[in-house]
Amino acid sequence: MIKLLTIDDSRTIRRVISGIGAMLGFEVLEAENGAEGLAVLGEHVHEIGLVLLDWNMPGMNGLEVLKSAKANPRIRHIPVMMVTTEGERDYIIQAIQAGAVHYQTKPFSQEEMATRILEAMGMGGA
Amino acid sequence: MAISREEFDLIRSFVHEHSGIQIGEGKEYLVENRLTVLMVQNGCKDFIELHKKLVADAGPLRAKVVDAMTTNETLWFRDASFFSAVSDFIVPQLMEKAARQPQVRIWSAACSTGQEPYSIAMLLDHARRKSRGQQAPPLEKFQILATDISPSVLVIAAAGRYNQLAISRGMREAFLERYFNKTGTMAYEVDPAIRKLVTFQQFNLKNSFDGLGPFDLILCRNVLIYFSNELKAEIYRKLHARLTPDGLLAIGASESPRGYTSNFEQVMVGGAALFRPKKGS
Amino acid sequence: MTEHEQMQEQIRAGLLEGLIQTVIQVFETMAWSRITYQGEQPRKHFVLASQTCGLIGIRGARDGLVGVALDRHLGLEIVSRITGLPVPNIELEDLADGIAELANMICGGMKAKAGIHGLDLTPPLAVIGQDATVHWKTAHPVRELTFMLDRDIIRVLVSI
């Protein structure tokens, strides 16, 4: 079964994303900071189909986590979507240039997030 | 950098031209939020460049932009008074029709993630069960066509799988028990018998309706509010042409075909206003 | 007004407008709740006297503070609508995190809508309690924006 990984310091957001994953038929793994997220990613490298990554977190920020994941040959192939309150164009450009496949700003509706996840995984239909 | 007026207007007119949908004033953030990724991924430095690309290339980028701009929220039995009219009056009428004619066709014209067509399918089955199956027509007599412009929402709709949050937005306890199966991943799946009644298909309301229907009931609720007046008139005309002479059109509580066409007359069904083709129109 | 003051005033107006739009948007998209903006009033002090508060500081091109305050029952209801958790199952940590995240999304959206460079947000702070009063010294005048959800009031205090 394909799994998603949400890396977010907010349990509210992790719970919302887990619910959306369930709707799409995916199990969702959770990590509450970047270091933990990278560890989970390394451990479940063959199961995780998409990482949903917050930007502002204590410790490593999302961009640092993204760069670290992309620099690691074992996990660099796993697509990453940023999920963050940072909605400015410069942030989006930085993330895409660092290797994120998609970018979803908070707040989001369930439908919006669900369709973005499908798109990021190449299952969106469009 | 926030989106400029020029960029906003260019994208707005593109989306309108290709989907019929009007992005309202003050919705700059929606364009910025949903399209910046596509802009960057396609090597554009701003929305003006993205617009140029969209105009020059009719490829998948166009579909992606339209898809990104047309995701809408939805819920079960949206609008309680409308759905009580459906269960108390419209479904019984459709049952009678199904006893007389080979097929009863229903169209949910902007179904998003599928709650509306599944709600209707559940009400049809519920009515059959209430009549204890005596003279009730078989479910196979009903066909529900559910369309949306966004292919992504249709992937979710066709799967028929919902989470606790989606269920909490309007699903009735008794219906949850009867018509859903709980899956291992904390989700609820619509019963296969209900799912079988609904056919999902990507469809743009701007396109020709030839070959669709005719329908005994069309649900096009809270959809045309996003279209220009010109397109509203055209779509009302096309909807009229695809209804059976005694068919019913359901639109949003704040909507009316008046001012766009004189081919419909209003009928009060329970507490809800619906529209049917005027005799001889 | 000097050129600097004019620019500061422009930033402030942009942020306030973005804030009102974002509060409505956050409740609508995340919590499935249509709230209405009732208006604003000047306040002498930045005092949040409610059972559920979320606070965020703003630093950089403009310093400021934004706080969201609601009654506990409404806070629980909103967190329930966001997460799908039934109200009786919401623990204190869920409530605190939910309100903090609400404040976070509101400030993030405000920043994005205003399109102003060089603004940093502090991590959100949640205050939950029966008789909590949060009083904050601020550099700028304080305004209270009021929103309604059915018959419940949502107060957003802003000093910017």
Side-chain angles (χ1 to χ4, degrees):
Chain A
M1 186 183 187
I2 303 175
K3 292 177 180 164
L4 309 180
L5 168 63
T6 165
I7 308 175
D8 200 306
D9 59 331
S10 163
R11 62 199 267 154
T12 306
I13 297 296
R14 294 200 303 272
R15 186 165 272 140
V16 170
I17 288 175
S18 294
I20 294 168
M23 188 159 94
L24 297 173
F26 301 126
E27 188 186 324
V28 182
L29 303 171
E30 299 184 19
E32 61 177 58
N33 59 56
E36 192 189 324
L38 286 168
V40 177
L41 205 45
E43 210 174 304
H44 297 269
V45 63
H46 299 300
E47 300 147 83
I48 295 172
L50 180 69
V51 180
L52 299 113
L53 179 58
D54 186 17
W55 194 299
N56 295 316
M57 292 181 286
M60 289 173 95
N61 71 32
L63 188 64
E64 288 162 351
V65 177
L66 174 63
K67 284 179 175 166
S68 172
K70 292 298 159 191
N72 181 340
R74 268 192 75 228
I75 54 176
R76 66 189 307 165
H77 63 279
I78 301 174
V80 177
M81 169 158 82
M82 302 303 291
V83 180
T84 167
T85 52
E86 300 290 356
E88 288 169 68
R89 205 178 290 186
D90 295 352
Y91 281 83
I92 302 176
I93 292 170
Q94 275 186 70
I96 300 296
Q97 283 174 347
V101 292
H102 221 329
Y103 197 105
Q104 173 64 51
T105 50
K106 301 172 192 171
F108 50 79
S109 69
Q110 282 223 101
E111 289 79 2
E112 202 181 347
M113 179 55 104
T115 54
R116 294 306 160 260
I117 290 173
L118 292 176
E119 281 165 20
M121 299 174 82
M123 298 159 77
Chain B
M1 183 167 46
I3 187 166
S4 71
R5 184 77 228 179
E6 185 190 359
E7 289 177 302
F8 182 55
D9 285 343
L10 281 171
I11 297 294
R12 250 189 349 163
S13 67
F14 174 83
V15 172
H16 181 238
E17 192 184 327
H18 291 272
S19 68
I21 289 164
Q22 280 192 318
I23 301 168
E25 283 293 337
K27 298 278 185 196
E28 283 88 346
Y29 68 89
L30 210 61
V31 173
E32 182 101 44
N33 273 356
R34 294 189 176 178
L35 296 186
T36 303
V37 173
L38 285 172
M39 178 188 101
V40 180
Q41 281 172 338
N42 284 280
C44 306
K45 74 169 182 359
D46 53 29
F47 288 108
I48 296 172
E49 278 191 9
L50 179 69
H51 182 257
K52 268 191 203 142
K53 241 193 180 118
L54 286 168
V55 172
D57 181 6
L61 181 60
R62 278 190 186 178
K64 282 184 179 170
V65 166
V66 170
D67 197 17
M69 292 309 300
T70 52
T71 310
N72 271 309
E73 296 92 6
T74 177
L75 69 164
W76 306 99
F77 306 108
R78 183 174 184 171
D79 183 352
S81 69
F82 171 71
F83 268 99
S84 63
V86 172
S87 72
D88 297 349
F89 299 98
I90 297 173
V91 163
Q93 277 175 26
L94 293 174
M95 287 285 158
E96 276 172 32
K97 269 188 156 184
R100 293 196 309 265
Q101 60 193 51
Q103 289 270 275
V104 169
R105 292 194 185 88
I106 299 160
W107 181 18
S108 168
C111 68
S112 188
T113 40
Q115 280 87 336
E116 181 177 82
Y118 288 137
S119 297
I120 297 283
M122 290 173 207
L123 288 173
L124 287 168
D125 186 68
H126 181 67
R128 279 187 70 250
R129 285 168 188 271
K130 267 202 317 201
S131 70
R132 301 189 199 288
Q134 287 300 310
Q135 296 100 15
L139 265 190
E140 294 73 46
K141 281 217 165 187
F142 298 94
Q143 280 183 356
I144 303 174
L145 173 68
T147 64
D148 201 282
I149 189 171
S150 158
S152 307
V153 294
L154 291 172
V155 172
I156 299 166
R161 198 186 303 108
Y162 300 93
N163 61 20
Q164 181 63 48
L165 187 57
I167 291 290
S168 73
R169 291 172 175 170
M171 179 46 64
R172 307 166 185 178
E173 194 70 38
F175 277 44
L176 176 61
E177 239 159 68
R178 186 176 292 279
Y179 295 115
F180 290 84
N181 304 312
K182 200 155 188 185
T183 75
T185 51
M186 300 305 293
Y188 300 86
E189 261 173 16
V190 177
D191 191 88
I194 295 299
R195 234 170 37 209
K196 230 171 58 189
L197 288 189
V198 187
T199 307
F200 291 97
Q201 192 183 313
Q202 198 263 342
F203 186 72
N204 186 339
L205 292 172
K206 270 192 76 179
N207 294 349
S208 160
F209 289 10
D210 287 354
L212 298 180
F215 297 100
D216 300 283
L217 172 67
I218 299 178
L219 303 129
C220 191
R221 298 185 305 137
N222 307 305
V223 182
L224 298 184
I225 45 174
Y226 298 107
F227 289 81
S228 65
N229 288 345
E230 202 176 289
L231 265 169
K232 267 184 206 147
E234 186 190 320
I235 294 170
Y236 275 124
R237 191 174 46 71
K238 293 192 289 190
L239 288 169
H240 177 271
R242 303 325 299 164
L243 272 173
T244 59
D246 58 350
L248 285 171
L249 169 67
I251 52 181
S254 62
E255 301 175 272
S256 168
R258 219 165 292 137
Y260 305 105
T261 171
S262 52
N263 284 342
F264 284 102
E265 62 183 3
Q266 185 175 312
V267 274
M268 290 308 288
V269 182
L274 279 93
F275 295 86
R276 71 172 166 222
K278 262 189 193 159
K279 293 235 153 43
S281 67
Chain C
M1 234 191 243
T2 66
E3 202 177 311
H4 174 73
E5 281 170 344
Q6 262 177 19
M7 217 178 73
Q8 287 288 312
E9 180 53 31
Q10 229 174 20
I11 292 177
R12 198 193 59 79
L15 286 170
L16 265 183
E17 199 190 305
L19 179 62
I20 295 166
Q21 279 182 32
T22 308
V23 174
I24 293 168
Q25 190 202 347
V26 168
F27 276 84
E28 193 165 314
T29 52
M30 295 300 294
W32 200 258
S33 305
R34 190 148 289 173
I35 64 169
T36 51
Y37 176 54
Q38 304 292 309
E40 62 157 303
Q41 285 194 327
R43 289 274 179 259
K44 264 197 185 139
H45 304 289
F46 198 104
V47 177
L48 290 167
S50 199
Q51 298 160 342
T52 331
C53 308
L55 262 175
I56 285 200
I58 299 160
R59 297 284 172 270
R62 182 99 189 159
D63 286 355
L65 190 65
V66 175
V68 185
L70 8 139
D71 282 348
R72 187 187 177 88
H73 80 93
L74 183 59
L76 286 166
E77 176 62 30
I78 293 298
V79 172
S80 168
R81 289 189 194 183
I82 292 175
T83 59
L85 275 177
V87 168
N89 297 5
I90 296 175
E91 292 169 13
L92 187 62
E93 261 187 75
D94 299 316
L95 180 61
D97 186 88
I99 294 305
E101 191 55 31
L102 204 64
N104 190 33
M105 286 188 284
I106 286 170
C107 289
M110 169 187 77
K111 201 176 106 167
K113 283 203 181 68
I116 294 157
H117 277 291
L119 277 185
D120 287 321
L121 305 180
T122 65
L125 169 80
V127 182
I128 314 284
Q130 273 310 322
D131 296 304
T133 300
V134 181
H135 186 180
W136 205 291
K137 297 258 190 290
T138 53
H140 306 293
V142 180
R143 287 155 195 270
E144 183 178 287
L145 315 177
T146 311
F147 299 84
M148 295 289 284
L149 174 59
D150 301 326
R151 269 170 296 170
D152 285 308
I153 296 177
I154 298 150
R155 291 193 174 84
V156 176
L157 264 95
V158 53
S159 163
I160 210 152

